[in-house]
């Protein structure tokens, strides 16, 4: 059975009712005084536009109801204290002056990296006490890292009166992840967490960060988007993501363009011909160019009110990620194949790949049948049972208390 995670459970605030109060209370236990505030930032799923963001292309994520919540107070003594209820261990204390890129391989690298990036950009952040808790599943391709970065960035932006906008916070968080953590990711996840709106998907042009909120209310149209977390954990700091990114950069260099975004869909055949026997680069280029085109197709269909027709586009996107970009895995392919065979309108892997989650578009009436079929297929294949939930487009990062 799918576990419904409805936007209603997070009405205006951070997480399930009362959770932000519990976070504030835990902060007080840890640090001896009440926090100055509590903030929340969501995870995301990406509807379409995968591995396009570091090619200056198009993406279309929406925020999940799952959030990372931070209770935070300022300090003035150059000390950052971090605690998470999701990780074993006590309060970690860091000196701001000692923060250095790639000096930390643990979870604290994400919040510390944000503080480092803010200070490096000239913002006067003088220290903080932070307590965190999260309902975003880690390693599931649902942007738990971005939620962690963005919630800290937003809290510090508010507390220190930095006046940065969501997209600016997203850029700083991406820098924290790229330089401090050492994971070469794009800008999609942080922008989604910072800028998404309830009831909408975010059409983002990653070249100039221009945004358009696209109404996306599947329930009103009798549909649901299921997220199937395969429980296969992935990590972006490992090599495969970086290899794909480097391959795309090689492609744009060989084609003489700034980024693969500049290869028009209509010019794809000519571009592939120019790449000659660079077989791997040809596959990567074909994925990126066709994926940008699929984002444009999905927007056109949604704007025309033809939501059901996005299903086949999602399936094409999955095939492209599996066959051309080669970042799927047996579990993700099994979700997609089983979902389609049992009546789903569309399905594809979402996020960075090599595990994580798939999305499945279904008629609401078919949700249980499709979920059961996927669960049975996993059992038959002797895979770890998947976690399935209904994704409702939810609010981006905000102050909760
Ligand atoms: C990860 C990265 C994003 C993006 C996706 C793939 O989620 O963090 O920047 O590249 O993979 O679309």
């Amino acid at each position: 059975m799918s576990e419904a995670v409805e936007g209603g459970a997070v009405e205006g605030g951070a997480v399930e009712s009362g959770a932000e109060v519990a976070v504030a209370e835990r902060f007080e236990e840890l640090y001896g005084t009440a926090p100055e505030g509590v903030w929340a930032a969501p995870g995301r799923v990406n509807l379409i536009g995968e591995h396009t963001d570091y090619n200056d292309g198009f993406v279309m994520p929406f925020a999940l109801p799952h959030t990372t919540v931070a209770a935070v107070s300022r300090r003035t003594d150059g000390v950052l204290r971090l605690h998470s209820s999701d990780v074993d261990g006590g309060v970690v204390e860091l000196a701001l002056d000692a923060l250095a890129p790639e000096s930390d391989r643990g979870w604290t690298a994400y919040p510390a990296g944000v503080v480092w990036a803010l200070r490096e950009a000239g913002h006067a952040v003088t220290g903080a006490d932070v307590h965190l808790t999260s309902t975003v599943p880690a390693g599931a391709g649902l942007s738990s890292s971005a939620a962690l970065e963005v919630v800290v960035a937003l809290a510090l932006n508010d507390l220190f009166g930095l006046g940065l906008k969501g997209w600016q916070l997203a850029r700083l968080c991406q820098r924290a992840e790229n330089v401090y953590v050492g994971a070469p990711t794009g800008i999609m996840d942080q922008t989604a967490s910072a800028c998404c709106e309830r009831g909408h998907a975010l059409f983002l042009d990653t070249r100039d960060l221009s945004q358009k909120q696209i109404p996306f209310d599947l329930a009103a149209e009798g549909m649901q988007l299921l997220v199937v977390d395969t429980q296969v954990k992935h990590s972006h700091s490992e090599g495969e993501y970086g290899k794909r990114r480097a391959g795309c950069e090689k492609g744009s260099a060989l084609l003489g363009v700034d980024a693969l975004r500049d290869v028009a869909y209509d010019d794809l055949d000519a571009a592939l011909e120019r790449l000659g026997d660079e077989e791997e680069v040809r596959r990567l280029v074909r994925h990126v160019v066709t994926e940008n085109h699929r984002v444009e197709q999905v927007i056109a269909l949604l704007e025309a009110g033809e939501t059901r027709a996005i299903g086949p586009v999602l399936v094409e996107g999955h095939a492209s990620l599996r066959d051309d970009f080669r970042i799927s895995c047996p579990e993700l392919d099994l979700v997609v194949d089983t979902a389609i065979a049992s009546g789903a309108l569309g399905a594809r892997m979402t996020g960075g790949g090599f595990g994580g989650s798939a999305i499945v578009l279904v008629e609401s009436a078919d949700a249980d049948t499709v979920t059961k079929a996927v669960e049975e297929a996993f059992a038959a294949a002797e895979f770890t049972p998947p976690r399935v939930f209904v994704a409702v487009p939810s609010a981006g990062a905000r102050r909760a208390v």
Side-chain angles (χ1 to χ4, degrees):
M1 288 296 120
S2 53
E3 155 206 348
V5 179
E6 299 289 341
V10 291
E11 204 73 52
V15 284
E16 300 85 317
S17 153
E20 63 273 20
V21 176
V23 173
E25 284 172 2
R26 183 74 179 115
F27 180 101
E28 194 162 350
E29 278 169 30
L30 288 163
Y31 298 119
T33 54
E36 289 185 86
V38 178
W39 289 260
R44 62 98 190 92
V45 284
N46 188 21
L47 186 60
I48 190 79
E50 220 65 86
H51 287 268
T52 48
D53 62 350
Y54 52 81
N55 291 297
D56 277 4
F58 306 134
V59 296
M60 209 177 169
F62 66 83
L64 290 171
H66 307 70
T67 56
T68 296
V69 180
V72 185
S73 285
R74 278 169 291 186
R75 296 179 67 94
T76 54
D77 59 355
V79 169
L80 175 64
R81 293 198 291 180
L82 299 167
H83 182 268
S84 168
S85 60
D86 309 320
V87 180
D88 288 339
V91 172
V92 176
E93 187 167 321
L94 302 164
L96 296 190
D97 286 342
L99 298 181
E102 304 202 34
S103 59
D104 178 356
R105 291 277 160 218
W107 72 271
T108 50
Y110 296 89
V114 169
V115 175
W116 170 84
L118 283 166
R119 282 165 53 86
E120 218 224 7
H123 300 295
V125 175
T126 55
D129 286 339
V130 181
H131 167 60
L132 294 146
T133 187
S134 186
T135 57
V136 186
L142 302 175
S143 291
S144 58
S145 311
L148 175 54
E149 293 153 7
V150 169
V151 77
V152 171
L154 182 64
L156 297 175
N157 186 46
D158 285 357
L159 287 174
F160 287 96
L162 306 180
L164 297 167
K165 298 197 185 328
W167 66 268
Q168 293 172 304
L169 294 176
R171 274 265 184 255
L172 285 163
C173 290
Q174 184 199 15
R175 185 160 165 71
E177 187 151 342
N178 290 172
V179 181
Y180 197 93
V181 177
T185 52
I187 190 71
M188 168 170 69
D189 303 344
Q190 293 83 0
T191 313
S193 186
C195 302
C196 277
E197 289 180 10
R198 188 188 182 90
H200 293 79
L202 175 69
F203 170 45
L204 176 70
D205 180 339
T206 64
R207 170 159 277 170
D208 61 6
L209 296 192
S210 58
Q211 306 180 5
K212 189 171 180 188
Q213 301 286 345
I214 311 282
F216 193 57
D217 183 359
L218 290 174
E221 296 185 63
M223 283 173 281
Q224 289 180 347
L225 195 87
L226 307 176
V227 174
V228 182
D229 173 4
T230 62
Q231 310 268 19
V232 179
K233 301 293 174 204
H234 74 122
S235 164
H236 294 155
S237 0
E238 285 160 17
E240 292 299 325
Y241 184 100
K243 279 189 206 156
R244 299 303 184 284
R245 186 168 182 159
C248 289
E249 279 157 14
K250 182 172 178 190
S252 56
L254 289 171
L255 293 169
V257 291
D258 286 343
L260 292 183
R261 176 316 181 19
D262 296 311
V263 180
Y265 180 68
D266 289 342
D267 297 337
L268 176 59
D269 288 345
L272 294 177
E273 201 157 311
R274 282 185 60 194
L275 290 169
D277 59 5
E278 290 279 356
E279 198 39 52
E280 191 187 336
V281 178
R282 283 164 59 102
R283 283 191 286 97
L284 298 178
V285 169
R286 187 162 54 214
H287 167 72
V288 173
V289 174
T290 57
E291 185 77 352
N292 275 327
H293 181 63
R294 281 186 284 274
V295 178
E296 293 181 305
Q297 284 181 301
V298 165
I299 289 176
L301 289 167
L302 291 179
E303 291 191 330
E306 294 178 38
T307 308
R308 284 175 173 77
I310 74 172
V313 186
L314 302 184
V315 177
E316 278 168 33
H318 184 77
S320 181
L321 289 161
R322 183 192 58 211
D323 302 335
D324 275 346
F325 225 66
R326 303 203 176 164
I327 57 168
S328 189
C329 65
E331 290 83 352
L332 288 167
D333 293 342
L334 186 63
V335 176
V336 172
D337 294 346
T338 310
I340 298 304
S342 59
L345 296 161
R348 68 175 201 88
M349 54 153 283
T350 187
F354 309 106
S357 299
I359 53 173
V360 179
L361 181 69
V362 287
E363 302 287 355
S364 301
D366 296 337
D368 285 345
T369 311
V370 172
T371 301
K372 199 157 173 275
V374 170
E375 287 169 347
E376 284 173 2
F378 267 56
E382 297 184 5
F383 291 157
T384 303
R387 277 191 69 232
V388 185
F389 63 87
V390 181
V392 178
S394 301
R398 65 267 182 194
R399 186 167 190 154
V401 174

